[in-house]
Amino acid sequence: SAKTLHTLLSRSAMVGGSPFILGRASVLAFIASRSTRPIGPPVLGNRAFTSTSSLHATNFLLKYDYVPDVLEKRGPYRAGHLDLAKQLISEGRCLSGGPTGDPGMEIPTGALFVFTDLDAAKTFVAGDPYIEHGIVTGHSIEEWNVVVQKE
């Protein structure tokens, strides 16, 4: 009930001398364990999560490492870099991409792209002006077999 949920969310206890606050996931698990609803695919809010049954969901991750002064050096090459990614996206061969770094980063340390096939990742590397002009100091391509995903 809403009253039970409110009580659980507002309670804290001392565990090992430190306050322990029940997290949302713990509360949801507790409520689900007391539910009389039929069991189906896991649902959190309005998001259903399922497991894929085959490896048809194999993607390829392209990871880049950038020069420390990437923001100063990328300017003349950024349009070509983004245009190539957009071209592969329009062909359905690139799913997403963008800069990576520490949380709250101001300057990215690299990038991550998700491709649907190995050839697309290799095509991107071969044609990316960031590679040609030294913005990327290293890269790797890894196979990623998606086991669970949002439907």
Side-chain angles (χ1 to χ4, degrees), residues 62-84:
L62 170 61
K63 297 178 183 179
Y64 274 179
D65 296 320
Y66 285 156
V67 294
D69 53 349
V70 60
L71 298 181
E72 292 82 17
K73 292 188 173 178
R74 72 180 180 185
Y77 317 110
R78 191 158 193 248
H81 169 76
L82 295 175
D83 287 346
L84 181 56

Side-chain angles (χ1 to χ4, degrees), residues 13-62:
M14 295 300 284
V15 175
S18 300
F20 174 77
I21 300 172
L22 289 172
R24 183 172 185 247
S26 299
V27 172
L28 291 173
F30 171 77
I31 291 170
S33 73
R34 301 176 54 84
S35 174
T36 58
R37 294 185 329 193
I39 297 176
V43 175
L44 180 59
N46 64 353
R47 302 178 309 195
F49 296 87
T50 62
S51 174
T52 58
S53 59
S54 69
L55 294 179
H56 74 278
T58 298
N59 292 313
F60 294 84
L61 304 177
L62 170 61

Side-chain angles (χ1 to χ4, degrees), residues 52-132:
T52 58
S53 59
S54 69
L55 294 179
H56 74 278
T58 298
N59 292 313
F60 294 84
L61 304 177
L62 170 61
K63 297 178 183 179
Y64 274 179
D65 296 320
Y66 285 156
V67 294
D69 53 349
V70 60
L71 298 181
E72 292 82 17
K73 292 188 173 178
R74 72 180 180 185
Y77 317 110
R78 191 158 193 248
H81 169 76
L82 295 175
D83 287 346
L84 181 56
K86 290 175 185 176
Q87 174 189 338
L88 290 167
I89 287 170
S90 72
E91 295 171 4
R93 299 176 69 204
C94 179
L95 301 176
S96 60
T100 60
D102 293 329
M105 70 177 164
E106 291 183 24
I107 301 173
T109 56
L112 176 68
F113 293 86
V114 181
F115 294 94
T116 59
D117 61 271
L118 180 58
D119 185 55
K122 289 180 176 181
T123 297
F124 189 82
V125 169
D128 189 358
Y130 278 19
I131 296 273
E132 180 184 348

